[in-house]
Amino acid sequence: MTIPLLELTADGLANSARRIMARCNELARISSLRGGVERVYLSPEHARANRLAAEWMRDVGLTTHQDAAGNQVGRISGRDPEAPALMLGSHLDTVPDAGRFDGILGVLMAIEVVRLLRSRIPTFPFCLEVVAFSDEEGTRFGKALLGSAAVAGSWDPAWWELTDAYGITVRQAFLEFGLDPSRVGEAARRPDELVGYLEAHIEQGPQLDRAGQPLAVVSSIASARRFQITIRGEARHAGGTPYDMRHDALLGASEIAIAVERLCLAEHHLIGTVGQLNAYPGAVNVVPGEARLSLDLRGELEGTRDRVWAALTRELDQIAGRRGLRWEAREVHTASAMVCEPLLMDVMRAGIEGSGQADPMSLFSPAGHDGMAIGRIADIGMLFLRNPDGISHHPDEYVSTEDIAVGLRAFAEAIVHLAREHAR
């Protein structure tokens, strides 16, 4: 069966883009945070967002269900209902005080692309699935990618005992949400069930905005390592302890935070962030005897990332020795770089060119995405949309309706190109 040419009108794309923008705003009202956006895994807000996404999926002809890990899934058949599926999607959960587009835009674009392609899907050699993943950010339990990890079949039983700020475990939250922990394995997909995974996402950085381009092909998702570092000194009276007798843990932590910036600036495509720093006992008149800080290291290449961590441990040794401190580090997260499949990059590039943008940029993503988990079972590809000023994980996060329309055309074109490749 021949796959027909894609014919999309400017008015149709504009209407779809406006619908997406309105739905981003509607989802932003589903929040546990008054005056802001916060929607976390296995919460009442998660359930409401899933119900709304399911309604929108059904509206474009997708058959829907909520899987055993709380992800919302929709499927529409190609010419063979038993054929593997091309998975499209992103996530509906948020960080605290979030913007309206991170993750959410990708889910809504996937739904809208199904609407635009609906008359052509019966000619496709694969089915289409849309997945609204449930926990990309890790806001509630401190562990990211829980929803997509379940789909990838890599759920770790140790995660059942992770707790949120109120002491509720993942297991308890599953039960309260109406899920059966013993059935989480049913969310897993086999590699032979999928032809690939495509995701549209705002760029969480300024490169497209600086270049004046609306879209880019993603080449890879950065490798990452996260640590919780504890520095111990001695708590003593702030007034009575002279400087030559102080073992100030906070000053030691401050030195290593500055070292993170210095060492990462010296490397290409490597970013380190100290996002948390707490001093104990935390009294105004006590020299801090202990400091705890987080470290997030992200790099395009694992070797560079690991080399900087090794350099930081040497700095910690030197700082501790000079100040009479002790330190220890616990690694809480590690992820290898996930390289996008060349064919999916090619069809995405062709889609962008078909939208009228010549010579599209290729960018690596320093931010993590569900594709990091899904890449264990399927080839992945990603499309970035321009984000003015590159701000994300913030209420000012933005993407224009015009860029959404261009992105929709590119995304739809890419899927048609892929269908033709598979039909050969």
Side-chain angles (χ1 to χ4, degrees), residues 170-234:
V170 172
R171 183 183 301 278
Q172 182 180 347
F174 257 61
L175 293 170
E176 292 177 354
F177 195 79
L179 298 173
D180 183 348
S182 69
R183 300 180 64 180
V184 69
E186 295 177 14
R189 306 297 299 277
R190 300 190 313 272
D192 63 355
E193 294 179 318
L194 301 173
V195 300
Y197 171 72
L198 294 179
E199 179 172 354
H201 205 284
I202 59 166
E203 183 200 357
Q204 293 172 291
Q207 302 309 315
L208 279 171
D209 193 37
R210 289 175 176 175
Q213 295 189 23
L215 307 174
V217 179
V218 177
S219 59
S220 65
I221 304 171
S223 65
R225 293 179 76 178
R226 292 178 185 169
F227 300 88
Q228 292 293 334
I229 302 171
T230 301
I231 298 177
R232 294 186 174 89
E234 184 180 39

Side-chain angles (χ1 to χ4, degrees), residues 229-253:
I229 302 171
T230 301
I231 298 177
R232 294 186 174 89
E234 184 180 39
R236 294 182 62 148
H237 195 289
T241 307
Y243 279 110
D244 64 356
M245 293 181 64
R246 291 187 179 211
H247 304 290
D248 190 322
L250 179 57
L251 290 180

Side-chain angles (χ1 to χ4, degrees), residues 212-385:
Q213 295 189 23
L215 307 174
V217 179
V218 177
S219 59
S220 65
I221 304 171
S223 65
R225 293 179 76 178
R226 292 178 185 169
F227 300 88
Q228 292 293 334
I229 302 171
T230 301
I231 298 177
R232 294 186 174 89
E234 184 180 39
R236 294 182 62 148
H237 195 289
T241 307
Y243 279 110
D244 64 356
M245 293 181 64
R246 291 187 179 211
H247 304 290
D248 190 322
L250 179 57
L251 290 180
S254 300
E255 279 199 60
I256 198 61
I258 296 296
V260 168
E261 180 185 52
R262 170 169 45 81
L263 291 169
C264 289
L265 280 171
E267 297 287 351
H268 182 64
H269 284 175
L270 188 79
I271 296 173
T273 302
V274 175
Q276 299 169 330
L277 177 56
N278 297 293
Y280 302 90
V284 67
N285 57 350
V286 178
V287 175
E290 182 172 301
R292 301 173 193 166
L293 63 154
S294 64
L295 173 61
D296 182 310
L297 279 179
R298 302 173 187 236
E300 185 174 16
L301 302 173
E302 286 105 1
T304 307
R305 175 203 66 188
D306 294 346
R307 185 171 64 249
V308 166
W309 170 242
L312 283 167
T313 63
R314 291 192 293 270
E315 295 260 355
L316 277 161
D317 285 339
Q318 293 169 8
I319 293 165
R322 189 174 66 251
R323 292 186 174 275
L325 306 171
R326 292 167 289 115
W327 70 273
E328 62 185 44
R330 179 170 60 92
E331 188 163 5
V332 295
H333 173 72
T334 183
S336 300
M338 184 59 65
V339 178
C340 293
E341 164 63 28
L343 173 60
L344 297 183
M345 290 178 63
D346 287 346
V347 299
M348 199 65 81
R349 186 175 292 107
I352 295 174
E353 291 171 346
S355 73
Q357 180 181 329
D359 194 23
M361 297 173 66
S362 179
L363 298 175
F364 101 98
S365 175
H369 303 284
D370 287 299
M372 297 174 75
I374 300 303
R376 299 177 182 181
I377 57 168
D379 295 333
I380 68 165
M382 287 190 69
L383 171 73
F384 269 170
L385 284 80

